[in-house]
Amino acid sequence: MIKVDNISKIYSNDSVETIALSNISFGIEKGEFVAIMGPSGSGKSTLMHILGALDTPTSGTYILDGKEVGKLSDDELAVIRNKKIGFVFQAYNLLPRTTALKNVMLPMMYAGMPREKRVNRAIELLEMVGLGNRINHTSNQLSGGQQQRVAIARSLAMNPAIILADEPTGNLATVQGEEIIAIFQELSDRGHTVVVITHEPPIAEHARRIIYLRDGEIVEDSTNHKHRRVKRGDE
Amino acid sequence: MELSEILSTALEALMLNKMRTALATLGIVIGIGAVIALVSLGQSSQMAVQSQIQSLGSNLLTVMPGAQSSGAVRGASGGGTSLTLDDAKAIMTSPQVTTVANVSPELSRRAQVVAGGNNTNTQILGSTAAYADVRKITVASGRFIAQQDVDSMGKVAVLGPQVVSDLFGDGANPIGQSVRINGMSFRIIGVTASKGGSGFMNQDDIIFVPLTTAQKLLFGVDYLGSISIAAKSEQVMSQARDEVGYFLLARHKLSNPMQADFTIMSQEDMLGAASQITGTFTMLLSGIAMISLLVGGIGIMNIMLVTVIERTREVGLRKSLGARKKDIVTQFLAEAIILTVVGGVLGMILGIMLSYVVSILMSLPFTLSLTSVLLAIGVSGGIGIIFGLYPAQKAAKLSPIEALRFE
Ligand SMILES: Nc1ncnc2c1ncn2[C@@H]1O[C@H](COP(=O)(O)OP(=O)(O)O)[C@@H](O)[C@H]1O
Ligand SMILES: [Mg+2]
C-alpha cells in the first residue's frame, strides 16, 4: 500500500544544510498498525509529512497504492489528502477561533458532502473522542488535549484508508491516550492502515510493528510479537 | 463547492479576523467616498459657474477697461479707467454701430451697508435703466432704476433678494425704508426677482443704485467698470463685436487694435476663462481624491499583507485537509469581493451623502460623476482583489507543510 524507496529530505536555509532523512526505504501493507519511534529531531515528523503527501522528498520515490505521488497533479493530491489519508498533526493545526464542529466538518466540506450529513458525522466523531459537550467551543477555548482530540476526530472524518498520527497522545492523560489508541486499533482491525509516531513505549506496545529512526535513518524495523491489545472501554 | 458554501466559507474567514476585515473595508470606504465627494464638488462648482454665465444671455458682450491679456482675468479686475459714460452713450447713438440693441454702462464696487441694526458687505452696482433689459433682470416688487434717477443722481436703491433677507429678514418688504451705503442714506424703491447663483457668482447678493450716484456720490470716480452690450441677435454677435471694437478704437484715437485700452468679451469667452479656472479647481480636487484613493489603497494593501502569514498558514491547513487550489482561490476571491462590495457600497453612500451635504451647504447643484464612481470602485476593488488573492497565490506555490510553517 505504502512504499518508499531511497527517500531523503534535506532542508537548506541560508547555507546551512540539515539532513532530516537520508536514504530511507520501507513498505507498509494494508491494515498494518505501525509505530514510529526515535529521539526528538530524528526525522519522524518529516517522514510522516511525506507519507501524508503534505511535503515532497528531496530525492527518492513514494508509491501510494501503485501510484508515484511525486507525479500526481495538485488536484489528485488534494483528493488523496482529503479521502485516502487522515492526518493528525503534532501541533494539531486547528483553524483558529473556529468551533470544534466546524473544524471537524472541514474535510467533509472539501469532499462536497451535504451539510446535514457533515454536521451529523462531525457530532458523532466528537462524541467518540469524548467532546460531545464541547462541539461549539472554539479552538482557543479548548485545552491542548481537547484540541488534540478534535484533530483526531477531524482526521477520521472521511473514514480514510490510512491514518497518520504524529504524537497523537502527547498531550493526553494516560486513560485518554489508551482510548485513542483503542480507536486506532479498532480501525486497524477493520482494515485501515495506521501509522503512529510516539515517544511512549507503552503506546508503541499496541503496534504490531515498530520502526526506529535516528538521525534520519532507520536503525531498527521490528515486528512486535508481544503487542498488547486493549478494547475500548477497558481499564 | 456550491456558491452558498463558498460565500459562507468566505464570510467565516472574514469573521475570523474582524479587525482586518474592518480596516480593509474602511480603506475601501475612504478611497471611494473621498473620490466621489471631491470630484462631485468640483463638477458642481464648475456647473454652477457655467450656468451663471449662460444665464447672462447669449447675445451679451461685455466691454472692460484694460488691454486684452490672458483671458478674462486681467479685464475682470476692473482696474482700468479708460471707459466713460460718454463711450457708452456714443455706442448707443452712433449710426456706425448698427447691430447693438441696448447698452448698459456699469460701475461696481463692494461696500458695507446698514439697515436698522443689521449690516452686510455686498456688491453695489451703479447702472442705468438699460441694465434690467441687457442683463434680463426683473423686479419682484417696486421698480428698477429709471433714467430720471440717473439724471437726478437720486439716492435710491434696488435690492437683490439675498440682501433683503440679510438686512430685513426673509420675506420682508423693505420698499420705502432706507438703507445706508458707505454712511449715505438711500431710499429703497424695488426688489429684484431671484436669479439664483451662489458664492462668488451670487446674482441676488447685490444692490443697484443709479450709475451717476455711484460714480459721484459713493465712489468719487468718473469712469465705468464695464459696459454691457446686448447685440440685436445671436447671429450678429461677431459683427457687433467688430463694430463696437473699431468704434471705440476710433473714439479713443487709437489706430492699432493691438493698442486697445479695452477688452470685449462674449459669453463664450467668459465661459472659456471661467472653465479654465474651475477646471483647475476640479483638477486640484481630483488630485486630492486620487491621493485619498492611493492612501486607502495602501491601507488595504497593508492590512492584507500584515495578515499574510496567518493566511498562508490557513491555506496550508486547508490544503492539507483536501482543499484544491481552485477552492482556495475561490474562497479568497469571494472574501475580496465581499470586502469590495460592502466597502464600495458604504463608500458610495458616504461619498454621495458628503456631496449632497456640501452641495446644500454651498448651495451648489448636486451632481455625481459616473466616471469617478467607477474609477474609485475599480481602483479600490482592484487593490482589494489583488492583495486579497496574494496569500492564496503565494501559498499555492508551497507544499501544505511549507505553507503551515510559513513565517
Ligand atoms: N523546515 C525546516 N527547515 C530546516 N530544518 C528542519 C525543518 N523541519 C525540520 N527540520 C530539521 O529536520 C530534522 C528532523 O525534524 P523532525 O522531522 O521534525 O523531527 P522529529 O519529528 O523526529 O522530532 C530536525 O533536525 C529539524 O531541525
Ligand atoms: Mg516531530
Side-chain angles (χ1 to χ4, degrees), chain A residues 11 45 49 53-56 74-75 78-79 81-82 89 93-98 102-103 106-107 109-110 113 115 118 154, chain B residues 1 5 8-9 12 15-17 310 314 317-328 331 396 399-402 404-405:
Chain A
Y11 294 107
S45 294
H49 294 150
L54 301 175
D55 209 355
T56 45
D74 263 8
D75 282 5
V79 172
R81 291 170 195 144
N82 186 237
F89 291 95
N93 288 339
L94 300 183
L95 213 49
R97 301 181 290 279
T98 303
K102 279 188 177 141
N103 266 294
L106 266 184
M109 180 184 81
Y110 288 120
M113 196 185 279
R115 197 176 168 84
R118 263 188 262 160
R154 184 180 63 188
Chain B
M1 285 200 281
E5 199 88 86
S8 72
T9 307
E12 274 167 24
M15 294 314 284
L16 273 188
N17 203 331
E310 196 191 68
E314 183 192 330
L317 173 58
R318 289 178 183 277
K319 280 182 77 177
S320 76
L321 299 177
R324 290 163 301 169
K325 196 178 162 194
K326 200 181 94 189
D327 299 323
I328 301 289
Q331 178 199 327
S399 76
I401 288 298
E402 285 169 330
L404 272 166
R405 296 243 168 105

Coordinates of all heavy atoms in Angstrom, one line a residue, chain A residues 11 45 49 53-56 74-75 78-79 81-82 89 93-98 102-103 106-107 109-110 113 115 118 154, chain B residues 1 5 8-9 12 15-17 310 314 317-328 331 396 399-402 404-405:
Chain A
Y11 N 16.9 20.0 4.2 CA 16.5 21.4 4.3 C 17.7 22.2 4.2 O 18.7 22.0 4.8 CB 15.9 21.7 5.7 CG 14.6 20.9 6.0 CD1 14.5 19.9 6.9 CD2 13.4 21.3 5.3 CE1 13.3 19.2 7.1 CE2 12.2 20.7 5.6 CZ 12.2 19.6 6.5 OH 11.0 19.0 6.7
S45 N 8.6 13.4 12.1 CA 7.6 14.2 11.6 C 7.8 14.4 10.1 O 6.9 14.4 9.3 CB 7.5 15.6 12.3 OG 7.1 15.4 13.6
H49 N 5.1 13.6 7.2 CA 4.6 14.6 6.2 C 4.7 14.1 4.8 O 3.8 14.3 4.0 CB 5.3 15.9 6.4 CG 5.1 16.6 7.7 ND1 6.0 17.4 8.3 CD2 4.0 16.5 8.6 CE1 5.5 17.8 9.5 NE2 4.3 17.3 9.6
A53 N 1.6 12.9 1.9 CA 1.5 13.7 0.7 C 1.4 15.2 1.0 O 0.8 16.0 0.2 CB 0.4 13.3 -0.2
L54 N 2.0 15.6 2.1 CA 1.9 17.0 2.5 C 3.2 17.7 2.2 O 3.3 19.0 2.2 CB 1.6 17.2 4.0 CG 0.3 16.5 4.5 CD1 0.2 16.6 6.0 CD2 -0.9 17.2 3.9
D55 N 4.2 17.0 2.0 CA 5.5 17.5 1.6 C 6.2 16.6 0.6 O 5.8 15.4 0.5 CB 6.4 17.7 2.9 CG 7.3 18.9 2.8 OD1 7.4 19.5 1.7 OD2 8.0 19.2 3.8
T56 N 7.2 17.1 -0.1 CA 7.9 16.3 -1.1 C 9.3 16.0 -0.6 O 10.0 16.9 -0.1 CB 7.9 17.1 -2.4 OG1 8.3 18.4 -2.2 CG2 6.6 17.1 -3.1
D74 N -1.8 18.5 -8.7 CA -2.3 19.2 -7.5 C -3.7 18.7 -7.1 O -3.9 18.4 -5.9 CB -2.4 20.7 -7.7 CG -1.2 21.4 -7.2 OD1 -0.2 20.7 -6.8 OD2 -1.2 22.7 -7.2
D75 N -4.6 18.5 -8.1 CA -5.9 18.1 -7.7 C -6.0 16.7 -7.3 O -6.7 16.3 -6.4 CB -6.8 18.3 -8.9 CG -7.2 19.8 -9.1 OD1 -6.7 20.6 -8.3 OD2 -8.1 20.1 -10.0
A78 N -4.9 16.6 -3.8 CA -5.9 17.1 -2.9 C -6.9 16.0 -2.6 O -7.3 15.8 -1.4 CB -6.7 18.3 -3.6
V79 N -7.2 15.2 -3.6 CA -8.2 14.1 -3.3 C -7.6 13.1 -2.4 O -8.2 12.6 -1.4 CB -8.6 13.4 -4.7 CG1 -9.4 12.1 -4.4 CG2 -9.3 14.4 -5.5
R81 N -5.3 13.6 0.0 CA -5.2 14.2 1.3 C -6.6 14.2 1.9 O -6.8 14.1 3.1 CB -4.7 15.7 1.3 CG -3.3 15.8 0.9 CD -2.9 17.2 0.6 NE -1.6 17.3 0.0 CZ -1.3 18.2 -1.0 NH1 -2.3 19.1 -1.4 NH2 -0.2 18.2 -1.5
N82 N -7.6 14.4 1.1 CA -9.0 14.5 1.5 C -9.6 13.2 1.9 O -10.2 13.0 3.0 CB -9.8 15.2 0.5 CG -11.2 15.5 0.9 OD1 -12.2 15.1 0.3 ND2 -11.3 16.3 2.0
F89 N -1.8 16.2 13.1 CA -0.6 16.9 13.3 C -0.1 16.9 14.7 O -0.9 17.0 15.6 CB -0.8 18.4 12.8 CG -1.0 18.5 11.3 CD1 -2.2 18.6 10.8 CD2 0.1 18.6 10.5 CE1 -2.5 18.7 9.5 CE2 -0.1 18.7 9.1 CZ -1.4 18.8 8.6
N93 N -2.9 21.8 14.5 CA -3.3 22.6 13.4 C -4.8 22.7 13.2 O -5.4 22.4 12.2 CB -2.7 22.1 12.1 CG -1.2 22.4 12.1 OD1 -0.7 23.3 12.8 ND2 -0.5 21.6 11.3
L94 N -5.5 23.3 14.2 CA -6.9 23.6 14.0 C -7.1 25.0 13.5 O -6.2 25.8 13.7 CB -7.7 23.5 15.4 CG -7.6 22.1 16.1 CD1 -8.4 22.2 17.4 CD2 -8.1 21.0 15.2
L95 N -8.2 25.2 12.8 CA -8.4 26.6 12.3 C -8.7 27.5 13.6 O -9.5 27.1 14.4 CB -9.7 26.6 11.4 CG -9.7 27.5 10.3 CD1 -8.5 27.5 9.4 CD2 -10.9 27.2 9.4
P96 N -7.9 28.5 13.7 CA -8.1 29.3 15.0 C -9.4 30.0 15.1 O -10.1 30.3 14.0 CB -7.0 30.4 14.8 CG -6.6 30.5 13.4 CD -6.9 29.1 12.8
R97 N -9.9 30.2 16.3 CA -11.1 30.9 16.5 C -12.3 30.3 15.8 O -13.3 31.0 15.5 CB -11.0 32.4 16.2 CG -9.9 33.1 16.9 CD -9.8 34.6 16.5 NE -9.4 34.8 15.2 CZ -8.1 34.8 14.8 NH1 -7.1 34.6 15.7 NH2 -7.7 35.0 13.6
T98 N -12.2 29.0 15.6 CA -13.3 28.3 14.9 C -13.8 27.1 15.8 O -12.9 26.5 16.5 CB -12.8 27.8 13.5 OG1 -12.2 28.9 12.8 CG2 -13.8 27.1 12.7
K102 N -16.9 22.9 13.4 CA -16.6 23.4 12.0 C -15.2 22.8 11.6 O -15.0 22.5 10.4 CB -16.5 24.9 12.0 CG -17.9 25.5 11.8 CD -18.0 27.0 11.6 CE -19.4 27.4 11.3 NZ -19.7 28.7 12.0
N103 N -14.3 22.7 12.6 CA -13.0 22.1 12.3 C -13.1 20.7 11.8 O -12.5 20.3 10.8 CB -12.1 22.2 13.5 CG -11.2 23.4 13.5 OD1 -10.4 23.6 12.7 ND2 -11.5 24.3 14.5
L106 N -14.5 20.5 8.1 CA -13.8 21.0 7.0 C -13.5 20.0 5.9 O -13.8 20.2 4.7 CB -12.5 21.6 7.5 CG -12.5 23.1 7.7 CD1 -11.1 23.6 8.1 CD2 -12.9 23.9 6.5
P107 N -12.9 18.8 6.3 CA -12.5 17.8 5.2 C -13.8 17.4 4.4 O -13.8 17.2 3.2 CB -11.9 16.7 5.9 CG -11.5 17.2 7.3 CD -12.5 18.3 7.6
M109 N -16.4 19.2 3.9 CA -16.9 20.3 3.0 C -16.1 20.2 1.7 O -16.7 20.3 0.6 CB -16.6 21.6 3.7 CG -17.1 22.8 2.8 SD -16.7 24.4 3.4 CE -15.0 24.5 3.0
Y110 N -14.8 20.0 1.8 CA -14.0 19.9 0.6 C -14.3 18.6 -0.2 O -14.1 18.5 -1.4 CB -12.5 20.0 0.9 CG -12.1 21.4 1.3 CD1 -11.5 21.7 2.5 CD2 -12.4 22.5 0.4 CE1 -11.2 22.9 2.9 CE2 -12.1 23.8 0.8 CZ -11.5 24.0 2.0 OH -11.2 25.3 2.4
M113 N -19.6 16.9 0.7 CA -20.7 16.1 1.4 C -21.8 17.1 1.8 O -21.5 18.3 2.1 CB -20.0 15.5 2.7 CG -20.9 14.5 3.3 SD -20.1 13.9 4.9 CE -18.8 12.8 4.3
R115 N -24.4 19.3 3.7 CA -24.2 19.9 5.0 C -24.8 19.1 6.2 O -24.1 19.0 7.2 CB -24.8 21.3 5.0 CG -24.3 22.2 6.1 CD -24.8 23.6 6.0 NE -24.4 24.2 7.3 CZ -23.3 24.7 7.6 NH1 -22.3 24.8 6.6 NH2 -23.0 25.2 8.8
R118 N -22.7 16.2 7.1 CA -21.5 16.6 7.7 C -21.6 16.9 9.1 O -20.8 16.5 10.0 CB -21.1 18.0 7.0 CG -20.1 17.9 5.9 CD -19.7 19.3 5.6 NE -20.4 19.8 4.4 CZ -20.6 21.1 4.1 NH1 -20.1 22.0 4.9 NH2 -21.2 21.4 3.1
R154 N -11.2 15.0 13.4 CA -11.1 15.6 12.0 C -10.4 14.6 11.1 O -10.8 14.4 9.9 CB -10.3 16.9 12.1 CG -10.3 17.6 10.7 CD -9.6 18.9 10.8 NE -8.1 18.7 11.1 CZ -7.3 19.7 11.4 NH1 -7.7 20.9 11.4 NH2 -6.0 19.4 11.7
Chain B
M1 N -17.5 23.3 -5.0 CA -18.3 23.8 -3.9 C -19.5 24.7 -4.5 O -19.3 25.4 -5.5 CB -17.5 24.6 -2.9 CG -16.6 23.8 -2.1 SD -16.1 24.7 -0.6 CE -14.8 25.7 -1.3
E5 N -21.9 27.7 -0.2 CA -20.8 27.1 0.5 C -19.6 28.1 0.5 O -19.0 28.4 1.5 CB -20.4 25.8 -0.1 CG -19.6 24.9 0.8 CD -20.5 24.1 1.7 OE1 -20.9 23.0 1.2 OE2 -20.8 24.5 2.8
S8 N -20.3 31.2 2.5 CA -20.3 31.1 3.9 C -18.9 30.8 4.4 O -18.5 31.3 5.4 CB -21.3 30.0 4.4 OG -20.8 28.7 4.0
T9 N -18.1 30.1 3.6 CA -16.7 29.9 4.0 C -15.9 31.2 4.0 O -15.2 31.5 4.9 CB -16.0 28.9 3.0 OG1 -16.7 27.7 2.9 CG2 -14.6 28.6 3.4
E12 N -17.1 33.3 7.0 CA -16.5 32.8 8.2 C -15.0 33.2 8.3 O -14.6 33.7 9.4 CB -16.5 31.2 8.2 CG -17.8 30.7 8.8 CD -18.0 29.3 8.6 OE1 -17.0 28.5 8.4 OE2 -19.2 28.8 8.5
M15 N -14.9 36.8 9.3 CA -15.2 36.9 10.7 C -14.1 36.5 11.6 O -14.0 37.0 12.7 CB -16.5 36.2 11.1 CG -17.8 36.7 10.4 SD -17.9 38.4 10.4 CE -18.4 38.6 12.1
L16 N -13.3 35.6 11.1 CA -12.1 35.1 11.9 C -11.2 36.2 12.3 O -10.6 36.2 13.3 CB -11.3 34.1 11.1 CG -11.7 32.7 11.1 CD1 -10.7 31.8 10.4 CD2 -11.9 32.2 12.6
N17 N -11.1 37.2 11.4 CA -10.2 38.3 11.7 C -11.0 39.6 11.5 O -10.9 40.3 10.4 CB -9.0 38.3 10.8 CG -7.8 39.0 11.4 OD1 -8.1 40.0 12.1 ND2 -6.6 38.6 11.1
E310 N -0.6 34.6 8.7 CA -1.7 33.8 9.2 C -2.5 33.1 8.1 O -2.8 32.0 8.1 CB -2.6 34.6 10.1 CG -3.5 33.7 10.9 CD -4.6 34.5 11.6 OE1 -5.5 35.0 11.0 OE2 -4.6 34.6 12.9
E314 N -3.2 29.3 7.0 CA -4.6 28.8 6.9 C -4.7 28.1 5.5 O -5.3 27.0 5.5 CB -5.5 30.0 6.9 CG -7.0 29.6 6.8 CD -7.9 30.8 6.5 OE1 -7.6 31.9 7.0 OE2 -9.0 30.6 5.8
L317 N -3.2 24.7 5.9 CA -4.1 23.8 6.7 C -5.2 23.3 5.8 O -5.5 22.1 5.7 CB -4.6 24.5 7.9 CG -5.7 23.8 8.7 CD1 -5.2 22.5 9.1 CD2 -6.2 24.6 9.8
R318 N -5.9 24.2 5.1 CA -7.0 23.8 4.2 C -6.5 22.8 3.2 O -7.2 21.9 2.9 CB -7.6 25.1 3.6 CG -8.4 25.9 4.6 CD -9.0 27.2 4.0 NE -9.7 28.0 4.9 CZ -10.9 27.8 5.4 NH1 -11.7 26.9 4.9 NH2 -11.5 28.6 6.2
K319 N -5.4 23.1 2.6 CA -4.9 22.2 1.6 C -4.6 20.8 2.1 O -4.8 19.8 1.5 CB -3.6 22.8 0.9 CG -4.0 23.8 -0.2 CD -2.7 24.3 -0.9 CE -2.2 23.3 -1.9 NZ -1.1 23.9 -2.7
S320 N -4.0 20.8 3.4 CA -3.7 19.5 4.0 C -5.0 18.7 4.3 O -4.9 17.5 4.4 CB -2.9 19.7 5.3 OG -3.7 20.1 6.3
L321 N -6.1 19.4 4.3 CA -7.3 18.7 4.6 C -8.1 18.4 3.3 O -9.2 17.9 3.3 CB -8.3 19.5 5.5 CG -7.7 19.8 6.8 CD1 -8.6 20.7 7.6 CD2 -7.4 18.5 7.6
G322 N -7.5 18.7 2.1 CA -8.1 18.3 0.9 C -8.6 19.4 0.0 O -9.3 19.2 -1.0
A323 N -8.3 20.7 0.4 CA -8.8 21.8 -0.5 C -8.0 21.8 -1.7 O -6.7 21.6 -1.7 CB -8.7 23.1 0.3
R324 N -8.6 22.0 -2.9 CA -7.9 22.1 -4.1 C -7.5 23.6 -4.3 O -8.1 24.5 -3.6 CB -8.8 21.7 -5.3 CG -9.0 20.2 -5.4 CD -10.2 19.9 -6.3 NE -11.4 20.6 -5.8 CZ -12.5 20.8 -6.5 NH1 -12.6 20.2 -7.7 NH2 -13.5 21.4 -6.0
K325 N -6.6 23.8 -5.2 CA -6.1 25.2 -5.4 C -7.3 26.1 -5.8 O -7.5 27.2 -5.3 CB -5.1 25.2 -6.6 CG -4.3 26.5 -6.6 CD -3.3 26.4 -7.7 CE -2.8 27.9 -8.1 NZ -2.1 27.9 -9.3
K326 N -8.2 25.5 -6.6 CA -9.4 26.2 -7.0 C -10.3 26.6 -5.8 O -10.8 27.7 -5.8 CB -10.2 25.3 -7.9 CG -11.2 26.0 -8.8 CD -12.0 25.0 -9.7 CE -13.3 24.6 -9.0 NZ -14.0 23.5 -9.7
D327 N -10.4 25.7 -4.8 CA -11.2 26.0 -3.6 C -10.6 27.2 -2.9 O -11.3 28.1 -2.4 CB -11.3 24.8 -2.7 CG -11.9 23.6 -3.3 OD1 -12.9 23.8 -4.1 OD2 -11.4 22.5 -3.1
I328 N -9.3 27.2 -2.8 CA -8.6 28.3 -2.0 C -8.8 29.6 -2.8 O -9.2 30.6 -2.2 CB -7.1 27.9 -1.9 CG1 -6.9 26.6 -1.2 CG2 -6.4 29.1 -1.2 CD1 -7.2 26.6 0.3
Q331 N -12.3 30.9 -2.5 CA -12.6 31.4 -1.2 C -12.0 32.8 -1.0 O -12.7 33.8 -0.6 CB -12.0 30.5 -0.1 CG -12.3 31.1 1.3 CD -11.4 30.4 2.4 OE1 -11.0 29.3 2.3 NE2 -11.0 31.2 3.4
A396 N -0.1 28.9 -2.9 CA -0.3 27.9 -3.9 C 1.0 27.3 -4.4 O 1.1 26.1 -4.8 CB -1.0 28.5 -5.1
S399 N 4.2 23.6 -0.6 CA 3.5 22.4 -0.2 C 2.7 22.8 1.1 O 3.0 23.7 1.7 CB 4.5 21.3 0.1 OG 5.2 21.6 1.4
P400 N 1.7 22.0 1.4 CA 0.9 22.3 2.6 C 1.8 22.5 3.9 O 1.5 23.4 4.7 CB 0.0 21.1 2.8 CG -0.1 20.5 1.4 CD 1.2 20.8 0.7
I401 N 2.8 21.7 4.0 CA 3.7 21.8 5.2 C 4.5 23.1 5.1 O 4.6 23.8 6.1 CB 4.7 20.6 5.3 CG1 3.9 19.3 5.7 CG2 5.8 20.9 6.2 CD1 3.2 19.4 7.0
E402 N 5.0 23.4 4.0 CA 5.7 24.7 3.9 C 4.8 25.9 4.2 O 5.2 26.8 4.8 CB 6.3 24.9 2.4 CG 7.5 24.0 2.2 CD 7.9 24.0 0.7 OE1 7.0 24.1 -0.2 OE2 9.1 23.8 0.4
L404 N 2.1 25.8 6.1 CA 1.8 25.7 7.5 C 2.9 26.3 8.3 O 2.7 26.8 9.4 CB 1.5 24.3 7.9 CG 0.1 23.8 7.8 CD1 0.0 22.3 7.9 CD2 -0.8 24.4 8.8
R405 N 4.2 26.1 7.9 CA 5.3 26.6 8.6 C 5.7 28.0 8.3 O 6.7 28.5 8.8 CB 6.5 25.6 8.3 CG 6.3 24.2 8.8 CD 7.4 23.9 9.8 NE 7.0 22.6 10.5 CZ 7.7 21.5 10.3 NH1 8.7 21.5 9.4 NH2 7.4 20.4 10.9

